[in-house]
Amino acid sequence: MNYTLHQLEVFLKIVELQSVTKASEALYLTQPAVSIQLKKFQEQFKIPLFEIVGRQIYITEFGQEVADAALKILEEVKAINYKALSYQGQLAGKLKIAIVSTAKYVMPYFISDFINEHRGVDLVMDVTNKASVIKALENNEVDFAMVSTIPKKLKINRIELMKNQLFMVGGKDYKFKGDYLSKSEFQKLPLIYREQGSATRLAMEKFIESKKVSTYKKMELTSNEALKQAVISGLGFSIMPLIGIKNAVAIGDLQVIPVKGLPMITNWNLIWLSSKNMSTISKSLIEYVNENKEVVIKKHFGWLKRY
């Protein structure tokens, strides 16, 4: 046997994505390059690692066992690299963060310089809805979470980052009279919601309930981007965080519709379990964010003051 770590990585990615094409994209390699590595890897085994049926690749039982072993090998190699960097006085290891979907417009700015400065830190960032984020934090699957509403059932520490403003938005062709949208007009609008478990949906439902507005039609979409595109197309209206629709508003694809009681304002928070045994990387990130958050906000989010 004379396979390389690169071949293990390529094969593992193919198994994960069940596609040579998708694996090549994920690894930033050409498809022929991935196919060649897969062929060379297979040549070292007398038992098939995979089968091709039509255009679909299927991993054999033996191939799956090889993939499981490859994962362990590559994890051990990473551990060696982390230890080597640690002995050189550098931060090294994995940093796991779970964030709600709208936070993808915010969180990268608060950690990009930190990650770039510490090349030995590998970032794993899961973007999902609030319910899944809190579950990951509660199960100690991540080091940090970024949310706009604090979970009440968990004992957590937090860094308050910046304000999160939610406005009513509609497509560019919608016209209304007066300074504010009237209750009667509000009730005529087809509203589009985020999925259950989303903090944006919860905020929207609370606002509508507080105003005692009766809506006649509801639609549900499972991502902020899908929701934004639906509103742009004229499919309906929604209450959305301004942070995620900046460009669409700037170019006129979306318009902010004045409604009394809006914007709703919450705060973005970086949170972690109070009982968490913090790693050196986690402690360093906390220190970095505390020291640099105001600079980041001023540099990247100063435009929010216009609204």
Side-chain angles (χ1 to χ4, degrees):
M1 297 291 178
N2 192 31
Y3 44 79
T4 65
L5 291 175
H6 180 56
Q7 288 171 351
L8 292 178
E9 182 183 18
V10 167
F11 181 64
L12 193 58
K13 187 60 67 174
I14 291 171
V15 172
E16 176 189 342
L17 299 176
Q18 298 291 302
S19 166
V20 171
T21 301
K22 291 179 180 179
S24 65
E25 292 171 353
L27 294 168
Y28 301 100
L29 298 171
T30 64
Q31 186 172 330
V34 170
S35 297
I36 289 170
Q37 292 302 317
L38 178 61
K39 182 175 182 293
K40 288 182 177 180
F41 189 54
Q42 174 63 83
E43 287 173 350
Q44 298 180 72
F45 301 94
K46 294 182 179 180
I47 304 171
L49 298 169
F50 59 92
E51 298 173 344
I52 302 293
V53 180
R55 294 185 177 181
Q56 182 65 44
I57 187 168
Y58 294 92
I59 307 303
T60 64
E61 182 178 352
F62 174 65
Q64 187 58 59
E65 290 188 9
V66 171
D68 293 341
L71 178 60
K72 293 177 182 178
I73 291 169
L74 292 172
E75 288 295 329
E76 287 297 322
V77 170
K78 282 186 179 180
I80 292 171
N81 292 337
Y82 293 152
K83 287 179 182 179
L85 289 170
S86 295
Y87 272 94
Q88 295 173 41
Q90 299 181 38
L91 286 180
K94 279 188 178 180
L95 178 65
K96 297 181 180 180
I97 304 176
I99 65 174
V100 295
S101 59
T102 313
K104 66 177 176 284
Y105 303 108
V106 179
M107 191 67 213
Y109 293 100
F110 284 94
I111 60 173
S112 60
D113 286 347
F114 177 83
I115 296 299
N116 289 331
E117 181 181 345
H118 303 289
R119 296 292 185 176
V121 176
D122 290 333
L123 174 65
V124 178
M125 190 158 65
D126 184 28
V127 182
T128 180
N129 62 32
K130 180 192 172 187
S132 297
V133 167
I134 299 306
K135 183 178 179 182
L137 187 69
E138 185 177 13
N139 293 340
N140 200 32
E141 296 169 359
V142 295
D143 302 303
F144 297 96
M146 186 175 181
V147 294
S148 57
T149 54
I150 302 297
K152 296 179 180 179
K153 295 182 180 179
L154 298 180
K155 292 183 179 180
I156 58 99
N157 295 326
R158 68 174 177 137
I159 301 174
E160 188 175 296
L161 298 176
M162 57 182 279
K163 290 181 180 179
N164 179 37
Q165 303 176 67
L166 294 94
F167 289 83
M168 171 69 80
V169 293
K172 61 184 179 182
D173 296 328
Y174 178 70
K175 294 179 176 60
F176 69 95
K177 297 178 180 179
D179 295 329
Y180 292 94
L181 188 70
S182 67
K183 183 176 180 179
S184 60
E185 285 298 313
F186 196 154
Q187 293 182 147
K188 296 176 184 178
L189 302 181
L191 297 181
I192 310 176
Y193 289 75
R194 283 288 306 276
E195 77 283 4
Q196 290 286 351
S198 162
T200 300
R201 180 185 180 121
L202 180 62
M204 185 171 172
E205 287 177 335
K206 283 184 176 180
F207 176 77
I208 290 172
E209 184 180 350
S210 71
K211 295 298 180 181
K212 296 181 172 55
V213 176
S214 176
T215 57
Y216 79 95
K217 187 176 182 180
K218 296 179 180 178
M219 288 171 273
E220 183 177 301
L221 294 172
T222 58
S223 78
N224 194 71
E225 281 300 313
L227 181 57
K228 180 174 71 176
Q229 293 303 321
V231 176
I232 289 173
S233 72
L235 189 59
F237 300 77
S238 193
I239 295 176
M240 301 183 69
L242 184 62
I243 196 72
I245 57 174
K246 173 188 176 184
N247 292 335
V249 171
I251 64 176
D253 283 343
L254 284 179
Q255 61 173 310
V256 172
I257 301 172
V259 177
K260 288 185 178 180
L262 294 179
M264 295 180 67
I265 298 177
T266 59
N267 285 289
W268 289 116
N269 299 276
L270 184 66
I271 65 175
W272 62 95
L273 292 175
S274 299
S275 58
K276 178 78 173 176
N277 184 15
M278 305 300 285
S279 67
T280 303
I281 294 173
S282 295
K283 291 177 182 177
S284 297
L285 180 63
I286 291 170
E287 181 180 353
Y288 172 83
V289 172
N290 273 322
E291 290 179 354
N292 294 277
K293 67 175 184 176
E294 296 302 330
V295 174
V296 172
I297 292 169
K298 184 177 180 180
K299 180 179 179 180
H300 297 288
F301 303 105
W303 62 270
L304 288 167
K305 293 180 180 179
R306 298 198 299 268
Y307 294 87

